[in-house]
Amino acid sequence: VLLSDRLANVGHAVRDVLFLRAFAGAWACGGEQEVLYSLYLAPRNPQPPLPWVRELSEAVAASTGTRGFSPRPGEVVCVRGLVQKAAQHVGDAHTARHARAAALRRCGVELEAPATTVLYVVHGASREGSRRLGNHEAVIAALDGVAQNKGLRLDVAELGALSFCGQVRAVYRARAVVGVFGAAVGGNLIFTRDTATTVELTACGRSAPRAPDAGTLGHTFLPFAAAYAYGFVSFCLCVDDPDVDLTAKRSTRRGWFRSERLGANVGALASAVASALDGDHAGAARAAAEAR
């Protein structure tokens, strides 16, 4: 099984890791006796896999009896066949939960561990832009109030600055995960618990005040959450910046990732998160729709 989908970006690499899990599961069910190997192959991306990618793939491989394979430079190896996904494979609920269980075992986290936090994911500075909200402090204050009202603690974390297991623990102990669209939110989505909800903040690319959906958002991990059967709400950001073209690629010069004038409707966001914590996803979606 070849793994090569942008291994320096967890939001992309998670698709290959889930494909490895799905194929390895099918291989085992077929009663094949040959050993299945996984191999990183990234000819157009010389960067080595991120530790997050390496550790998750190793955990998944170990749970299925798959062996990692690293040929020496110039080595010629004969194999009976190669398998690689040809299109986007976001996985399914069964595969995602197996991958989550493998990660929890690797990190020593009990499946029954209680949820104690609301996690607010922030992004570090990068060439694509920080995606920091202009009303960042107000958002933190509102989320802290919601968390305390529900008997929880607010955890503000830059997930990319944590170890793999640090990210797994931070996400799995959260009853709600809130953050601006990006790999930190989308890649770690598989580690959320069944009863948790992710509230994704994203630029919706239109002005109609109706609930966002995957067909009109463009920048969302909603299809991943739907495939995993995890709770998920897309919440439209305010982009008060005439230099931003919402139809442009998000990380280009006029894309919204680079804007320093992003914001969130604090009251609507607090209402959406509170409803999500109550298990009222319809209420959370209504609050998200009212954000505009």
Side-chain angles (χ1 to χ4, degrees), residues 208-232:
R210 57 189 178 85
D213 59 77
T216 54
L217 279 170
H219 304 133
T220 181
F221 283 97
L222 178 58
F224 283 51
Y228 305 160
Y230 285 167
F232 194 91

Side-chain angles (χ1 to χ4, degrees), residues 97 100 115-121 143 146 152 154-155 170-180 185-186 188-201 221-222 225-226 228-235 269-288:
R97 281 158 180 76
R100 182 184 66 189
T116 59
T117 69
V118 170
L119 173 62
Y120 179 44
V121 178
L143 293 178
V146 171
L152 303 170
L154 179 65
D155 182 12
V171 173
Y172 192 69
R173 68 177 171 234
R175 275 182 57 194
V177 178
V178 184
V180 176
V185 174
N188 285 294
L189 182 62
I190 62 168
F191 304 138
T192 56
R193 59 182 61 226
D194 292 349
T195 55
T197 301
T198 296
V199 180
E200 173 195 65
L201 312 180
F221 283 97
L222 178 58
Y228 305 160
Y230 285 167
F232 194 91
V233 175
S234 287
F235 187 96
L269 179 59
S271 179
V273 174
S275 294
L277 290 171
D278 289 338
D280 180 8
H281 290 94
R286 286 193 298 271

